């Protein structure tokens, strides 16, 4: 079955550490996105990529970085510059007919 | 004013009730509209697209009012399994999708 796989499901980060969240899709979608969701709030766009080797900042890109070296993969790195990284992170891909498909998310907690 | 606004709820309704949510958007050039459902601690999933003529899928009806810049979702004969957060999503031409904060629905036995 086609879909998006995010890993890990749960991630714990120490203060000052960089961590990378994985997102892989086999839907052959060009566009991929990273969102952050805080409790009781909507999704906020971190970064997006419309095509391989290109990506753009979203509304809350500070403290995050991404790469898009392959169509299938769009990893997100949460750097030590992100002061409040505890949140639910959702990766999505998009195709005009079917809309957004989301991964099952990664819960990041700073310990 | 936020680009997409929703009443956060919660809406607590008994089984079998009819419930309606509205979502307002500020960009008059917005082109496409969707309702997503998100269960607790899960990813959002597409519930239905919203077409200009309105559309119905079983117990769910979505409407678009461009003049007043809102979309609505009506759920008839509510089931316990309808309990979730309903996200309104707006696509602006040439831009990304904007998600509303969601409306929480609890269907009570």
């Amino acid at each position: 079955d086609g879909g998006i796989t995010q890993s890990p499901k749960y991630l714990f980060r120490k203060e000052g550490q960089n961590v990378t969240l994985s997102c892989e899709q086999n839907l052959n979608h060009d566009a991929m996105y990273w969102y952050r969701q805080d409790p009781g709030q909507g999704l906020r766009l971190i970064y997006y990529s419309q095509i391989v080797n290109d990506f753009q900042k979203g509304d809350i890109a500070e403290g995050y970085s991404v790469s898009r070296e392959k169509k299938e993969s769009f990893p997100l790195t949460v750097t030590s510059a992100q002061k409040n990284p505890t949140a639910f992170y959702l990766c999505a891909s998009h195709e005009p007919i079917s809309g957004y498909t989301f991964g099952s998310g990664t819960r990041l907690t700073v310990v | 004013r936020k680009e997409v606004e929703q009443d956060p709820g919660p809406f607590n309704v008994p089984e079998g009730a009819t419930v309606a949510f509205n979502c307002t958007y500020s960009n008059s050039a917005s082109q496409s509209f969707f309702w997503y459902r998100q269960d607790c601690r899960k990813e959002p999933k597409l519930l239905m697209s919203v077409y200009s003529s309105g559309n119905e899928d079983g117990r769910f009806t979505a409407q678009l009012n461009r003049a007043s810049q809102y979309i609505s979702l009506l759920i008839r004969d509510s089931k316990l399994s309808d309990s979730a957060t309903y996200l309104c999503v707006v696509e602006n031409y040439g831009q990304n999708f904007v998600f509303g904060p969601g409306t929480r629905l609890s269907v009570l036995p």
Side-chain angles (χ1 to χ4, degrees):
Chain A
D1 280 340
I4 296 187
T5 302
Q6 285 187 245
S7 62
K9 193 174 178 71
Y10 299 96
L11 185 58
F12 297 90
R13 191 194 93 169
K14 293 182 181 178
E15 295 278 356
Q17 234 180 11
N18 290 358
V19 290
T20 297
L21 284 57
S22 170
C23 177
E24 303 280 330
Q25 56 110 348
N26 60 3
L27 299 165
N28 201 35
H29 289 175
D30 285 314
M32 296 187 74
Y33 303 80
W34 274 105
Y35 289 91
R36 168 183 172 139
Q37 187 175 37
D38 293 281
Q41 296 191 34
L43 278 65
R44 292 185 290 168
L45 182 64
I46 305 172
Y47 266 99
Y48 65 100
S49 168
Q50 303 279 30
I51 199 166
V52 176
N53 292 323
D54 185 55
F55 49 83
Q56 306 293 332
K57 291 182 179 180
D59 301 318
I60 55 165
E62 187 175 347
Y64 299 97
S65 66
V66 294
S67 63
R68 187 85 187 277
E69 297 174 5
K70 298 186 299 182
K71 189 175 187 177
E72 303 79 25
S73 179
F74 191 40
L76 173 75
T77 296
V78 184
T79 74
S80 57
Q82 172 48 242
K83 297 307 177 189
N84 185 23
T86 294
F88 186 42
Y89 290 87
L90 285 159
C91 178
S93 69
H94 179 260
E95 189 269 332
I97 295 175
S98 57
Y100 271 106
T101 301
F102 284 91
S104 56
T106 294
R107 290 199 178 273
L108 174 63
T109 304
V110 174
V111 296
Chain B
R1 182 184 172 188
K2 291 185 178 177
E3 192 163 353
V4 179
E5 296 192 81
Q6 294 181 252
D7 182 342
F11 284 60
N12 298 315
V13 303
E15 266 188 292
T18 295
V19 61
F21 313 132
N22 278 348
C23 164
T24 59
Y25 60 95
S26 60
N27 188 341
S28 59
S30 296
Q31 293 209 301
S32 302
F33 309 88
F34 308 87
W35 283 104
Y36 276 72
R37 171 195 169 126
Q38 185 174 24
D39 292 295
C40 188
R41 302 177 76 84
K42 300 281 190 181
E43 73 275 22
K45 293 186 178 176
L46 179 65
L47 179 65
M48 57 198 308
S49 303
V50 186
Y51 304 122
S52 296
S53 55
N55 48 306
E56 188 173 311
D57 182 3
R59 297 181 294 109
F60 299 84
T61 300
Q63 299 276 0
L64 167 63
N65 185 319
R66 285 195 183 273
S68 301
Q69 294 183 209
Y70 74 86
I71 66 172
S72 63
L73 178 67
L74 180 79
I75 305 175
R76 289 180 297 277
D77 189 23
S78 299
K79 311 290 184 192
L80 295 176
S81 57
D82 293 334
S83 296
T85 296
Y86 291 84
L87 305 174
C88 167
V89 183
V90 174
E91 180 187 13
N92 300 323
Y93 181 76
Q95 300 177 31
N96 291 310
F97 291 67
V98 180
F99 286 77
T103 295
R104 194 151 57 92
L105 171 67
S106 291
V107 181
L108 308 172

